[in-house]
Every structure is written in C-alpha cells, then in structure tokens.
Amino acid sequence: MVMLAACMFPISNFKVPTEHINSGTGRYSVKKELIMDEFDEGMDEPLLCTGSYIRHLGSEGTVEVEVVAAPRRTCGTFGGDLLEDAADGRRQFETSTMEPCEVEITLPQNYVPGQRVRVKGPHGFLSTRTPAGANLLPGSRQRVRFGPLPEFRVEVPPGVSPWSELKFAKEDGTEVSVTVPQDVTPGSFFDVAPPALMVQVPKFAMPGDLVIFSAEVNCGSGQVTSWFRAQVPQGFHEEEYFPARIPEPERAALRALDTTSYIRYLGSEGTVDAEVLATPRRTRSIFGEDLLEHAADGRRQLKSVATSPCELEITLPLNYVPGQRVHAKGPHGFMSAPTPANPNLLPGSRQRVRLAPLPEFRVEVPPGVSPWS
C-alpha cells in the first residue's frame, strides 16, 4: 500500500526525500501504487468509506504518463539532453524529477506580483510563479508548493479518529486508501492529492514536446527502475515543474520495450498450445493407461503428467549411437529423451539434457538496465 506523507523544508536546505512522496494536503495511497511504506501486518484493516463522504475534484493540471523503454540518446544540443525523436516526429528530452514538496524562497527587491522567480533547486535553477494579487513584499520569504492539485475532498465519517485509514473505490475500480490527518475531526473535510512526481521542463523544451524520466517503483519482485514519458503541458516553460501521475506498480514496472529495436521474435516452433477444460471423467483403465471419455470429435483422451522445464543428467548406454533416444529415470518413472546429434559424445559418458521449450524471443539489454530489472 502506498503512503504519501507531507514534507516541508527551506530552499536553503533543499533535499528531495527518497522514501516518501508528499501529497501536500492529506495522505493518499493507491493500492500497490509506488515506492511507499507498507502497512504493518498487525495494523487493523482500513475502514470502508462510501461515496457520500468522498467528492471527486478532478485531476486538472496533473499530466498522465506512459511507460516506455530506456531512452536512446542521439546527441546533446547546447546542453540539452536531446533523444531520438518519437515515432510521430515530436522532440524528446530526458529530464529530472522531484517529489512534491514546499520550498521557501526570497522574493527579489524588484518583485512584481505574479512575477516568475528563479531560485536554486535540486537539479540546478528552477523557475516558479508566485500568487497574482497577493500582498507579497519584495525581499520577504515565502513558501511555494510544488505538487499536484487535490483530487479528492473527504469528509471525516462519524467515529473516525486521526491517523485512521479510510478506503474507497474509484470509478475505474482502483482501491484508494486515505490516512486521516491529525488535526481533523468527524464532520470536517480534508483534501488529498494523487500519487505524482514533479517533472522539470528541461532547457530548450517547449509545450508539446515529450520528456522522459525514470523513477524507482516497488513491485512484487522488489524495486525496479522504470521509465516514463509525458508531454509538456501548455503554459509551462524551461526550469518549471509540472505534476505527472505515476501509475500503479503492475503497469509502471513493465518495461515497454521497442520491439523493433530491442526484441527479436524467434517463433514458437515445437511448443504446443493447450486448452483449458473441465476435470476429466474416467471410463476405464486399459493396459495401465488412464483412458478417459472420448473427445467430442471422437478422438481418444489419455490422462498424463507434467513437469516444469529442467535439466537432467543421463548416462549414455555403451551401445550409444549419436542422435539416439535414451531412456532414463525421470520425475514420473522412466522417460525418453533425445540426445544432441553430436558425434563427439562417448558411450558411457554422463550428459546433461534440457527438457524445455525452444526460446521464443531474443532480447537486447537496453541502455541503463541492470541485472534483475
């Protein structure tokens, strides 16, 4: 279960946390959805929350992403990490991200309300906008939030205390878990934001361009690095950050490889397709075989056994001929196994025989991919 926790720190000590993603308002978790803390096994099940307590505010301003393969760089242009163009011809840039947070900035002495302010951030300088019309004084220190807009407004149900877990289902069936903040009581409201990262618009990128970034995602097999792509939304410029929703781990952990670049299909020759059917009915046993009822088309049906793909060690008979089939003891009694048509195999020698299907794909390891990814 993903946990989104608040984080606030001054820009002078700017440090992007690595264990939590800030929602900025409430604590919002989507089942199996990012690199957040797991609930303790002994923790009570979250309370079910019906739709009467949940109001969907929309997801305006949060950009959807797609899972992509690790990018291939072509060249750097004036300091920008320019990648190969997308299939539709749009430019692609590699970029950096940070977790939602609040930063403290000092307004310049010539500050004008609504002016963009440039300050030092985790990836060099960042550009941020200040509220238009606010009574902000030049030289004053202000907090600016970098994060997505709230997606839900939750009314605290009767009998629910702070730090309780509420869960509900979205329209698409996704299970959402919300942690009740400390300073709310039954009948009051709090907002929650979606799981997202703040994506930087790199140098020379413009609205409509594509940006690619990586993120660590937890899945069943552990933490993996996944790559995502988003389109720079209208109104955002160099050094600004926009929120991008990170998908659930099952989808985020998939490495969407470019089949023409990294994958070669070898075929499925020799591998038989099976069909799912009901439990068979036996009719009689003939010569030790489990004979079943005939199939609908009249063909005989026999019950058999199966084993996982494996390697076995066999001893070649003294009268062995290259390519001969050899009988050896297997997991379900004696079995027959073919041997390689290799004239250098000696009678009486021990050989390893692989019982498995032929390879179906050949994969080139993409750039930036490590073992066990």
Side-chain angles (χ1 to χ4, degrees), residues 45 66 76 152 313:
E45 281 293 312
E66 59 177 321
F152 296 98
E313 192 173 75

Side-chain angles (χ1 to χ4, degrees), residues 45 56 216 219 231 277 343 357:
E45 281 293 312
H56 183 233
E216 297 294 319
C219 62
Q231 178 176 299
L277 71 165

Side-chain angles (χ1 to χ4, degrees), residues 17 43-44 62 84 224 228 311:
M43 181 177 286
D44 294 335
T62 300
E84 291 181 348
V224 298
F228 305 95
E311 284 192 352

Side-chain angles (χ1 to χ4, degrees), residues 1 37-46:
M1 189 80 71
D37 295 339
E38 301 271 345
F39 284 130
D40 293 336
E41 292 183 0
M43 181 177 286
D44 294 335
E45 281 293 312

Side-chain angles (χ1 to χ4, degrees), residues 13-49:
N13 188 28
F14 201 108
K15 181 180 179 183
V16 178
T18 57
E19 297 180 354
H20 297 279
I21 287 185
N22 171 36
S23 70
T25 46
R27 291 156 56 97
Y28 171 12
S29 68
V30 175
K31 190 176 183 181
K32 295 183 178 177
E33 212 174 40
L34 242 183
I35 36 176
M36 299 301 113
D37 295 339
E38 301 271 345
F39 284 130
D40 293 336
E41 292 183 0
M43 181 177 286
D44 294 335
E45 281 293 312
L47 300 172
L48 288 174
C49 190

Side-chain angles (χ1 to χ4, degrees), residues 66 68 72 74 82-93 208-212 229-231 258:
E66 59 177 321
V68 295
R72 286 191 169 186
T74 55
L82 187 61
L83 308 177
E84 291 181 348
D85 288 346
D88 59 7
R90 285 183 294 175
R91 297 190 305 168
Q92 297 189 126
F93 296 82
D209 286 337
L210 300 174
V211 290
I212 295 179
R229 180 167 64 186
Q231 178 176 299
D258 180 352

Side-chain angles (χ1 to χ4, degrees), residues 164-244:
S164 297
E165 300 295 329
L166 302 176
K167 68 177 181 180
F168 60 94
K170 295 171 61 177
E171 291 182 357
D172 61 1
T174 303
E175 185 180 288
V176 176
S177 177
V178 178
T179 301
V180 179
Q182 184 178 9
D183 56 349
V184 298
T185 57
S188 59
F189 295 83
F190 65 94
D191 293 339
V192 292
L197 288 173
M198 301 303 296
V199 180
Q200 186 182 45
V201 181
K203 279 188 175 182
F204 310 108
M206 299 182 297
D209 286 337
L210 300 174
V211 290
I212 295 179
F213 58 93
S214 63
E216 297 294 319
V217 177
N218 265 353
C219 62
S221 59
Q223 195 173 84
V224 298
T225 300
S226 290
W227 289 86
F228 305 95
R229 180 167 64 186
Q231 178 176 299
V232 178
Q234 294 295 323
F236 283 83
H237 306 281
E238 291 182 15
E239 298 180 346
E240 289 188 318
Y241 285 79
F242 63 88

